[in-house]
Amino acid sequence: MDDSINFGSVLRRRRKEARISISEMAKRVHYSKGYLSKVETGGATGSLDLAQACDRELGAGGELAELASRKLDESSALPTALALNGLPPVTSRFMGRSKELGDIAAFVNEDTGQNVCLISGMAGVGKTSLALRGIWSAVESFPDGCLFLNLGGEYSSGREITPHAALDALLRMLGMVGERIPSGVDVRANLYRNAVRGKRMLIVFDNVRSAEQVIPLLPAEEKCRVIVTSRNRLHALDDAMYLSMDMLAEEEGIALFRSAGGHRADRADHDTVRRIVAHCGGLPLAIRIVAARFRGNPAWTPRDLEALLADASSRFGVLDDGERSVAAALTVSCRALTGEQRRLFALLALYPGPEMSVGSVAALAGIDPLLARSLMDRLGDAHLVTYVAADRIILHDLVREFARRSVLPGVSQRAQDASVRRLLDHALLWIGESNALLTPHRYRMPHSAAKPSGHQSFAGRESALNWIAVEQAGLVGMCHLAAERKQYNQCWQLAFALREYFYLNKLWDPWIETHLVAVEAARTARHRQGLAISLNNLGIGYVDRGDLNAAVEQYQEALEIFRELNDERGIVDALCNLAWADLYLGKPKNALRGLRVALSHYRSMGNDRNAAITLRGIALTESELDLCVDAIHHAKQAREVFRTLDLWLDVVMSTNCIAWAHFRAGDHEAAAFHYELAATQAERFGSCYERARALAGLGNVHAVSGGHAEAAEQWARADEALSPLSPVMVGEARVRMAWLDASTRD
């Protein structure tokens, strides 16, 4: 064969004819740019796998594979030293990881200045599979051999391979007779490093537990490449290239299940498979186990498998195929923890939200934040927790369930209850401080949480808002946790405290969810005042969601209890809330009477904020009764009080109320002016709800004035800000709906 017609030269010619850069080609075939360049220029032979991949990408019809085969046949006829290739086979079920594969290809094929690559990640994430998939295509670049050594020892016993034993195995693989291997670790290490001197070898150390275990095994020879896989980050390998692995993306997880689960899995409904993969948390080991069990159990339907995984009591049983087990893999990771780390890991399972702050972790464990952060770092190094921000961690769902089932029982019930109490006190303290910044004039009940030494408050309103926005899911979960752990008083106090943020953001579903739990907690604890307060607030949530009859039930029961307790403030609040409900139920005359009584009481009590809120309610009611002049007057009075109190959200609400009264009076120019002002104010102060209301009102003004295109534009902007607005609760939404209905009939 003409030497000028070889695999490398033809590859180069075809690539250029296809107008594909060498960088793009490297990405497509998962080889490094440097290695491809060497193949094209004759510096490397190239493998049959590479040739076949290039054939596919370039449409070469097998020409490249044939040329590569000839070259390999020729080179195999030459006398060469016998080199061991002990790499295990690559799984055919490998999915995704294109970026990581590219990084490994660059590491093994190019001179990066590093000869050690650490692949770390959670147990079962596929570290070994990634390493093997990434290096098999480069074995021909290591003519002196490829070695594989599992340093994890026996899975169940927890015994690991010592450096002494590992060096014995390495020397034997390199051809040394057992009788000549010395006993000392240092002597063995010297012989091993000398044996690989001047050689180009690829060595994989799998399942490494610690840097101390692997450092004596690292060759000094720069031409060698070492891949280390570990569940720990092994920070002491500070000269290594670090590759951290995460869970599979959803579509990659689905593809893995279908591939490993056989033809029935391949035909299964997409949504069902998606939920199966979600229950596995994107963990490759979990997906492979359930796929194998599904393939081996013809009686199971995909929905049967999904149901078993959805049930926490059966999930870990399904994730065990007799040979592999997610629980066993996590047990190995957990076994290496110290007693202090293990205790914290157990307590993390109590936390009811997806993310935990350093403060919450410290409260759970009853330790100072500095120690909490240090322990979190150690758990992070073991890939049992993941940092999502500098001071926040998450637990993978399967890790959390493992900790709850297998580690938490090692903590006494008394210690668990104390941990929950500390967490709830921590939450109450921070929510209380948040509320003091969000709504400084609102009434707040005292709580039992004391400030710890060194406590630092929020820097301002913005930081308070950011904190509670991130913590929201966990705080809602804490209401349920408090009830489950019989911390009833903290349960209803927590729900009461959360209402500030939920009201500001119109989050009625979590408002109602937490107050339903609070009502039952207070009822169980026989805390009458807590029950009345929780019922009253539950009614507010129902009103703003438009469930008026349910709201009236809560208000009436709350009123009875407040009267029983002779609680004047509670009585007035309940009566006022019933009057607001009458307004929305279409009983404006009843509402006006009730609101006037409440206004008188609030003024006599010196409660300016509640008096102004009630005055705004009176203005809305007067608008319904076509007493628009009075409505405008009272709404403006309320707005001035809110300005004095620096309650700017209430200022915006009052401006919308003024606009609504002008609209009802037929003064569309004044209505438009105030709606535009309210829309600007609402955007400035971050209220999507009031902005949507103002824009809907502007749309109504244009509609009644004949500007149909302008009306449609403003209504579209309102929907973009917040949709839908309830026609029961918002007059502007009611007018818009009536206008659209009339237009449809016409």
Side-chain angles (χ1 to χ4, degrees), residues 376-432:
M376 288 161 59
D377 287 346
R378 300 291 77 77
L379 294 177
D381 290 343
H383 290 281
L384 290 170
V385 305
T386 301
Y387 275 94
V388 292
D391 63 345
R392 305 187 67 79
I393 58 170
I394 59 172
L395 267 71
H396 187 279
D397 289 345
L398 292 178
V399 174
R400 182 190 298 275
E401 183 62 21
F402 169 77
R404 188 187 68 79
R405 291 166 59 91
S406 302
V407 191
L408 185 59
V411 179
S412 71
Q413 193 65 44
R414 183 176 179 181
Q416 290 183 38
D417 290 341
S419 181
V420 170
R421 281 195 298 273
R422 289 192 301 267
L423 177 65
L424 296 172
D425 277 344
H426 171 79
L428 284 168
L429 173 64
W430 281 95
I431 297 172

Side-chain angles (χ1 to χ4, degrees), residues 437-712:
L437 292 167
L438 299 183
T439 52
H441 296 278
R442 194 162 191 171
Y443 170 74
R444 275 176 291 281
M445 291 190 62
H447 54 73
S448 58
K451 289 186 180 181
S453 61
H455 175 76
Q456 293 184 342
S457 300
F458 292 110
R461 189 175 190 273
E462 192 66 27
S463 64
L465 272 171
N466 292 338
W467 174 82
I468 200 167
V470 173
E471 295 279 350
Q472 176 193 326
L475 294 169
V476 170
M478 283 183 214
C479 286
H480 293 277
L481 177 65
E484 291 164 8
R485 295 281 171 161
K486 301 183 179 179
Q487 307 290 333
Y488 298 124
N489 288 341
Q490 288 172 304
C491 175
W492 71 261
Q493 288 175 12
L494 192 56
F496 179 83
L498 283 170
R499 68 184 187 146
E500 311 281 335
Y501 177 75
F502 291 158
Y503 181 81
L504 286 174
N505 292 278
K506 305 298 181 185
L507 298 171
W508 303 119
D509 286 345
W511 174 303
I512 291 169
E513 178 185 347
T514 53
H515 279 85
L516 283 169
V517 178
V519 164
E520 290 310 308
R523 209 184 292 279
T524 303
R526 299 182 180 179
H527 196 297
R528 300 295 284 167
Q529 186 183 39
L531 176 58
I533 289 171
S534 300
L535 286 164
N536 208 31
N537 281 309
L538 178 57
I540 294 171
Y542 279 136
V543 162
D544 275 82
R545 204 169 68 175
D547 194 346
L548 300 173
N549 292 326
V552 169
E553 278 184 38
Q554 315 308 315
Y555 291 151
Q556 287 175 341
E557 186 179 355
L559 180 59
E560 288 178 16
I561 299 171
F562 283 133
R563 283 174 171 160
E564 169 196 318
L565 298 172
N566 199 26
D567 183 338
E568 181 185 2
R569 181 190 178 89
I571 292 168
V572 176
D573 284 347
L575 287 171
C576 187
N577 287 338
L578 282 165
W580 278 93
D582 278 337
L583 168 62
Y584 299 128
L585 284 166
K587 303 173 184 177
K589 291 182 179 179
N590 290 350
L592 190 57
R593 283 195 296 271
L595 289 168
R596 283 173 174 167
V597 170
L599 178 63
S600 175
H601 280 286
Y602 284 134
R603 283 176 169 169
S604 67
M605 292 160 53
N607 190 333
D608 293 340
R609 178 181 180 276
N610 279 26
I613 291 172
T614 306
L615 197 59
R616 188 173 64 225
I618 287 172
L620 285 170
T621 307
E622 288 168 337
S623 295
E624 295 301 312
L625 293 168
D626 292 324
L627 303 172
C628 297
V629 174
D630 291 341
I632 293 166
H633 173 67
H634 289 137
K636 287 182 176 179
Q637 277 188 322
R639 184 170 66 175
E640 287 309 306
V641 175
F642 292 132
R643 279 178 175 159
T644 303
L645 296 174
D646 286 334
L647 297 173
W648 291 102
L649 175 59
D650 287 289
V651 169
V652 179
M653 295 170 75
S654 300
T655 303
N656 265 329
C657 185
I658 295 167
W660 173 242
H662 279 299
F663 181 83
R664 294 279 297 183
D667 189 347
H668 298 148
E669 184 177 348
F673 171 81
H674 285 93
Y675 278 134
E676 286 172 356
L677 177 60
T680 302
Q681 291 174 334
E683 186 169 21
R684 179 181 174 189
F685 298 114
S687 175
C688 297
Y689 187 90
E690 292 302 320
R691 177 170 168 77
R693 179 183 170 192
L695 293 170
L698 279 172
N700 295 340
V701 170
H702 286 299
V704 298
S705 303
H708 303 306
E710 294 86 349

Side-chain angles (χ1 to χ4, degrees), residues 1 17 30 50 71 138 234 240 244 299 306 315 320 366 417 474 500 537 546 565 574 610 676 710-711 739:
M1 182 180 69
E17 287 173 354
H30 298 304
L50 171 61
K71 188 67 176 176
L234 308 186
S244 185
E306 180 201 345
R315 185 177 302 132
D320 185 339
D417 290 341
E500 311 281 335
N537 281 309
L565 298 172
N610 279 26
E676 286 172 356
E710 294 86 349
W739 182 264

Side-chain angles (χ1 to χ4, degrees), residues 155-299:
Y155 214 57
S156 58
S157 69
R159 292 197 300 271
E160 64 182 42
I161 304 297
T162 65
H164 184 270
L167 286 165
D168 179 85
L170 287 168
L171 289 169
R172 290 174 186 270
M173 282 190 275
L174 290 168
M176 184 170 284
V177 179
E179 291 81 2
R180 300 186 62 187
I181 297 175
S183 59
V185 172
D186 288 342
V187 181
R188 288 182 175 186
N190 276 279
L191 283 174
Y192 160 66
R193 285 192 288 269
N194 185 66
V196 299
R197 181 182 171 191
K199 294 184 178 180
R200 181 166 173 79
M201 299 185 70
L202 178 61
I203 306 170
V204 179
F205 295 120
D206 197 32
N207 288 322
V208 173
R209 304 290 183 85
S210 66
E212 183 182 23
Q213 183 190 19
V214 76
I215 284 174
L217 315 181
L218 301 180
E221 176 56 59
E222 293 182 356
K223 290 188 291 185
C224 289
R225 293 291 181 268
V226 177
I227 303 281
V228 175
T229 74
S230 179
R231 299 173 186 189
N232 300 303
R233 288 202 168 88
L234 308 186
H235 295 296
L237 298 183
D238 43 19
D239 288 331
M241 182 183 97
Y242 278 76
L243 237 175
S244 185
M245 292 185 69
D246 203 349
M247 302 303 118
L248 285 175
E250 181 179 80
E251 288 306 315
E252 292 171 348
I254 289 170
L256 176 58
F257 177 80
R258 292 191 186 280
S259 171
H263 67 280
R264 290 191 305 125
D266 196 42
R267 297 199 308 265
D269 170 73
H270 180 79
D271 285 342
T272 304
V273 174
R274 179 180 55 78
R275 289 190 292 270
I276 288 170
V277 170
H279 288 309
C280 294
L283 186 68
L285 174 62
I287 297 170
R288 289 171 66 89
I289 289 173
V290 299
R293 295 202 62 188
F294 179 74
R295 187 180 66 241
N297 288 273

